Amino acid sequence: MCLNRIFIISCVIILLNAITTNTYRYHEQKENDLSLWINENQVKILSGFSLKVFIINYGWISPHVKDPNFSTNLPLVPSEIESVNFTWKSGAKKYRYNFDRLISLDEKILQPPKVSIKTEGRIPRKAKEFSIIMPCVANATGVGMLSIGLIIENANGHPLPGTPLRINLRKECVQRGMRAINESDVPDLECNKSCLNNGWCNKEKQCQCPEGYMGQFCQTALCYPKCENGGNCTAPAVCSCPKGYQGRHCEGGICSEKCLNGGKCVQKDKCECPKGYYGLHCEYSKCVIPCQNNGKCRGVNKCRCPPGLAGDHCEIGRFVRQRSVCNQCKHGSCSETGHCQCFEGFAGKYCVQPTGALHIGNYFGAIKKWVDLQNSGENVTYCVVDLHSITLPQDPKILNENTLKLTATLLACGIDPEKAILFLQSSVPQHTELSWILGCLTTMARLTHLPQYKEKSATMKEIPLGLYMYPVLQSADILLYKATHVPVGEDQVQHLQLAHHLGKLFNNKYGVTFPLCHSIVADDPSCRLKSLRDPTKKMSKSDPDPKSAIYLTDTPKQILEKVKKGITDFTSEVTYDPENRPGVANLVIIHSLASGLSPEQICDNSKDIDTGKYKFKVAEALIEHLNPIREKIEDYLKHPEYLEQILSEGGEKASMIAEATLDEVKQKIGIRNLTSFKTRISSKNVC
């Protein structure tokens, strides 16, 4: 340990002298140019001195790096040091880099070195830290050498003078819990007791520390980069963050209130606001007079205006429709703002995505649970509610296609017509008859206050009566089969409460007829899958961004593309923290549902990869789970006559139950059932 430290101090002093002799260039160069250095904290850990060691200083390679003997003069990296941290910035100029050499010259002792960033790319304008990681081979003991090469080019593709850089580093590896091979074979038990964290004594009776620890008694854990914002290093590479901070190195903030208007949480309760906004949570606009005609605030009383408009507040001119966008509306019309306004049944920027398609939120949150109920032996009935869909205008051809697609999807997901009843709502006329009877028991005030009616009618000039009455039809769907339990989402609970209310009202007025139905609301993450493009919102078929949801009919290529585009955050570590890291937590839940692993197992298996690489694992699990379903859907759709037969046979079974219930209802409310009378008249005429 002592020899290593002496060599490190000597090297640092040599580097410091070399840098000092080069400072005269500072006044000749622009300060805002390329620099690469070992940060102060890293140097302090290695040597005890707090200073920066420059490799590139304002666009110039430091002279000591050009020395042919530079690599041989570098100190041995001790076993407890796993990585070396560097910081760089390009300043006002543009530079690209390429780590063209990352090799181990002693593969039995050292694995090839790794960098914590991409091996090639653009050097950041502002100072940013990265690490060169030097992993030892498992259970290896000895000294190995690794070679690192770095090419740097300017914006014109010309290499920086003095590059490529070629550096060889020597690294000591010691098997954890084992003594170095050149030490005495006789253990010193008393000395070993003083060494903490599985350290042991060498022949000089000094503690030899395992990887990740240092200090006289191996009492200090090492964290690279250092824990920020007052965080404490409690174990190797593990930071304990103070309240209000998060991330692997406590580098990210937690904002108690959401940053508004596109702001990003960068410190504890501190938001970084986009242009045109300010305030603790970016809640204030710099435009005192609001931008008109869909303009966006971009500075103090300055708005960015849509085509055809001008003025500080976009008040001059006339909006020009973006025909280039509107001409691509496949199933919609052009709105006054120049965007596609989709017909019912379609969504997306160009109204291409049919909302009849089911996404993984529908599958994991509902359909998969329906299949489990069916397979548990429960008496279940599934209804394809085509009458509900026409509460808003529909294209007849598309409605028919969507009905068959939904039926094929349910069968492909595991709904078994032999174990359950699957039918088409419109094939059982008793639904609409009971809906009318129940509608006569409720009031307009109660229907007006239902949330989905208020939400959908808010943007309509003329509200269809069907939209107003569809919760009553939904109640009839439930009560007609005397259902006792109904699996619903949280947004449908109030509608189920209406069915409960109407059933109870009918029982009190005409005698007990309907059992009181209860909701089955699953309280697990599968029911709350979030949008891939905005993890603060629920995954939805009506989302205008087609990459926000993964559909059961998506191809493997589409699934991979959507997962790769999924929003995460600035921390690369894979953790499950729904409150503070909703984007990553959403991917972990999707992965968990597709693979059957728990979030804890997934995070444990993903310790060594960043969120970018983790997305490939999520996509792989989803593709493996959904491919058989997609293939079955495609196969069923090739045989529409089979789908129609399934719905027809299910409709016959459902009609028998529905007819008996409606006959009982009619008898109790005083409506005569003339079916048997008509049969008698018909028989008499035949005779």
Side-chain angles (χ1 to χ4, degrees):
M1 279 299 278
C2 280
L3 284 176
N4 288 338
R5 173 158 288 199
I6 290 170
F7 276 117
I8 292 169
I9 292 172
S10 301
C11 182
V12 169
I13 292 172
I14 293 170
L15 296 181
L16 181 59
N17 289 335
I19 293 169
T20 304
T21 60
N22 196 42
T23 54
Y24 74 92
R25 299 184 186 273
Y26 173 82
H27 298 290
E28 299 176 11
Q29 298 297 320
K30 292 184 179 180
E31 182 176 342
N32 205 7
D33 202 345
L34 175 66
S35 292
L36 170 64
W37 66 92
I38 304 177
N39 64 47
E40 295 178 47
N41 185 63
Q42 179 77 87
V43 175
K44 186 174 181 179
I45 290 174
L46 293 172
S47 68
F49 294 100
S50 182
L51 53 87
K52 291 181 181 179
V53 175
F54 280 89
I55 296 170
I56 302 174
N57 194 23
Y58 302 124
W60 291 84
I61 304 293
S62 298
H64 57 272
V65 179
K66 298 179 182 178
D67 188 339
N69 298 318
F70 174 66
S71 292
T72 57
N73 290 333
L74 287 175
L76 177 69
V77 180
S79 61
E80 63 264 27
I81 303 296
E82 188 181 35
S83 61
V84 178
N85 298 328
F86 296 82
T87 306
W88 61 2
K89 66 181 182 69
S90 66
K93 296 185 178 181
K94 295 181 179 179
Y95 291 94
R96 295 193 65 82
Y97 71 90
N98 179 14
F99 285 96
D100 65 324
R101 180 184 295 179
L102 291 167
I103 58 176
S104 171
L105 304 178
D106 296 284
E107 295 184 353
K108 292 183 178 180
I109 299 173
L110 282 171
Q111 299 179 38
K114 302 175 183 178
V115 287
S116 60
I117 55 176
K118 293 180 179 180
T119 54
E120 58 180 306
R122 182 173 171 178
I123 297 175
R125 187 171 62 86
K126 296 181 180 180
K128 191 171 183 179
E129 195 173 75
F130 69 92
S131 302
I132 294 180
I133 303 162
M134 301 169 284
C136 293
V137 174
N139 300 325
T141 299
V143 176
M145 182 173 286
L146 47 84
S147 181
I148 301 165
L150 176 62
I151 298 172
I152 297 178
E153 298 178 344
N154 61 22
N156 297 321
H158 300 142
L160 184 73
T163 62
L165 295 174
R166 296 286 184 258
I167 300 174
N168 293 336
L169 295 176
R170 291 177 301 133
K171 171 80 165 66
E172 179 189 34
C173 294
V174 178
Q175 182 180 348
R176 180 170 295 192
M178 299 292 290
R179 287 145 38 101
I181 58 175
N182 60 344
E183 296 177 2
S184 171
D185 291 332
V186 180
D188 189 333
L189 298 179
E190 289 301 318
C191 181
N192 282 346
K193 289 179 181 178
S194 64
C195 301
L196 306 176
N197 297 307
N198 294 323
W200 63 95
C201 275
N202 59 22
K203 61 184 178 180
E204 285 87 16
K205 293 189 177 182
Q206 295 173 333
C207 289
Q208 186 77 31
C209 301
E211 188 174 346
Y213 290 94
M214 66 177 296
Q216 183 179 358
F217 303 108
C218 306
Q219 75 276 16
T220 305
L222 298 173
C223 291
Y224 302 119
K226 67 177 182 178
C227 302
E228 300 178 16
N229 298 308
N232 295 319
C233 186
T234 54
V238 177
C239 292
S240 177
C241 303
K243 188 176 181 181
Y245 293 94
Q246 65 167 334
R248 187 173 183 180
H249 313 295
C250 307
E251 72 277 18
I254 298 174
C255 294
S256 55
E257 293 186 30
K258 182 182 176 182
C259 300
L260 305 175
N261 297 308
K264 183 185 295 183
C265 184
V266 292
Q267 291 287 338
K268 179 184 177 183
D269 287 326
K270 182 180 178 182
C271 298
E272 185 179 88
C273 303
K275 287 183 179 180
Y277 295 93
Y278 67 100
L280 192 62
H281 306 293
C282 308
E283 68 270 36
Y284 300 119
S285 171
K286 292 182 180 179
C287 297
V288 178
I289 301 175
C291 301
Q292 300 178 29
N293 299 309
N294 294 318
K296 302 293 183 183
C297 186
R298 285 294 178 265
V300 179
N301 289 326
K302 292 289 183 181
C303 299
R304 186 173 69 188
C305 304
L309 293 163
D312 288 344
H313 313 293
C314 307
E315 76 279 15
I316 301 172
R318 188 175 180 182
F319 185 85
V320 177
R321 289 187 177 182
Q322 299 178 12
R323 292 293 179 184
S324 58
V325 174
C326 286
N327 288 342
Q328 299 178 59
C329 298
K330 189 170 181 181
H331 300 287
S333 59
C334 189
S335 69
E336 293 181 359
T337 59
H339 297 90
C340 293
Q341 188 168 359
C342 300
F343 299 139
E344 180 68 17
F346 289 92
K349 186 175 180 180
Y350 302 115
C351 305
V352 175
Q353 178 64 53
T355 57
L358 298 179
H359 55 65
I360 57 173
N362 303 131
Y363 170 66
F364 288 118
I367 299 175
K368 200 167 184 297
K369 291 181 172 59
W370 299 351
V371 175
D372 293 340
L373 278 174
Q374 162 197 281
N375 294 337
S376 67
E378 296 288 347
N379 185 15
V380 290
T381 303
Y382 303 111
C383 178
V384 179
V385 288
D386 54 342
L387 291 177
H388 283 292
S389 67
I390 62 171
T391 52
L392 295 173
Q394 291 277 356
D395 183 315
K397 182 180 178 182
I398 295 170
L399 175 59
N400 183 52
E401 289 175 356
N402 284 344
T403 299
L404 293 179
K405 283 180 183 177
L406 180 56
T407 305
T409 302
L410 292 174
L411 294 174
C413 291
I415 298 297
D416 186 352
E418 298 297 324
K419 298 179 181 179
I421 299 175
L422 175 63
F423 71 101
L424 194 61
Q425 183 187 30
S426 59
S427 67
V428 182
Q430 288 84 358
H431 283 255
T432 51
E433 288 189 66
L434 182 58
S435 175
W436 176 258
I437 294 170
L438 296 177
C440 295
L441 296 178
T442 190
T443 63
M444 294 177 64
R446 185 173 182 89
L447 298 180
T448 304
H449 284 89
L450 291 172
Q452 290 206 356
Y453 168 77
K454 290 195 291 186
E455 178 186 338
K456 290 188 176 182
S457 63
T459 57
M460 295 181 177
K461 293 182 180 179
E462 297 181 355
I463 303 169
L465 179 61
L467 181 63
Y468 189 80
M469 287 290 294
Y470 100 89
V472 181
L473 178 58
Q474 191 178 51
S475 298
D477 299 336
I478 297 167
L479 297 175
L480 192 59
Y481 300 94
K482 297 189 176 183
T484 56
H485 293 81
V486 183
V488 293
E490 292 178 353
D491 56 344
Q492 291 287 335
V493 170
Q494 280 191 283
H495 290 177
L496 187 61
Q497 289 172 347
L498 177 65
H500 187 282
H501 166 75
L502 290 174
K504 189 175 181 180
L505 193 65
F506 188 95
N507 291 345
N508 291 339
K509 192 169 184 178
Y510 299 107
V512 177
T513 307
F514 302 112
L516 297 182
C517 57
H518 302 280
S519 60
I520 302 175
V521 182
D523 188 20
D524 60 72
S526 67
C527 302
R528 294 183 292 275
L529 290 187
K530 303 299 182 182
S531 163
L532 294 176
R533 303 296 295 158
D534 183 357
T536 62
K537 297 179 181 177
K538 190 175 179 181
M539 188 177 286
S540 172
K541 292 180 286 186
S542 58
D543 195 308
D545 190 338
K547 290 185 173 64
S548 66
I550 295 173
Y551 292 88
L552 301 185
T553 52
D554 282 346
T555 63
K557 183 178 179 181
Q558 289 173 319
I559 292 173
L560 177 60
E561 183 66 23
K562 290 180 178 182
V563 174
K564 284 169 62 179
K565 295 290 185 181
I567 298 296
T568 52
D569 53 32
F570 51 81
T571 303
S572 61
E573 188 179 7
V574 180
T575 60
Y576 181 62
D577 187 355
E579 184 176 347
N580 299 314
R581 303 188 68 198
V584 178
N586 192 41
L587 291 178
V588 171
I589 285 298
I590 292 172
H591 189 185
S592 174
L593 293 169
S595 65
L597 299 173
S598 69
E600 292 75 19
Q601 289 175 309
I602 288 171
C603 293
D604 190 56
N605 295 339
S606 307
K607 285 181 179 177
D608 299 328
I609 60 174
D610 58 24
T611 51
K613 293 179 181 178
Y614 174 65
K615 288 179 179 178
F616 286 90
K617 292 181 69 175
V618 178
E620 183 181 355
L622 267 177
I623 290 168
E624 184 179 350
H625 190 95
L626 298 181
N627 254 0
I629 296 175
R630 178 178 57 82
E631 291 170 357
K632 286 181 181 178
I633 293 173
E634 293 173 353
D635 187 52
Y636 280 127
L637 289 175
K638 292 176 183 177
H639 304 90
E641 67 283 352
Y642 173 74
L643 299 176
E644 291 171 353
Q645 179 185 347
I646 293 294
L647 292 174
S648 176
E649 292 175 355
E652 292 176 5
K653 296 176 185 177
S655 293
M656 293 175 63
I657 302 170
E659 188 174 356
T661 303
L662 191 64
D663 285 348
E664 183 182 357
V665 168
K666 286 181 176 180
Q667 184 179 1
K668 288 189 175 181
I669 65 174
I671 294 180
R672 296 181 63 85
N673 189 350
L674 300 179
T675 305
S676 57
F677 175 75
K678 290 179 180 177
T679 304
R680 290 197 302 271
I681 295 296
S682 177
S683 300
K684 184 177 180 179
N685 290 338
V686 171
C687 291

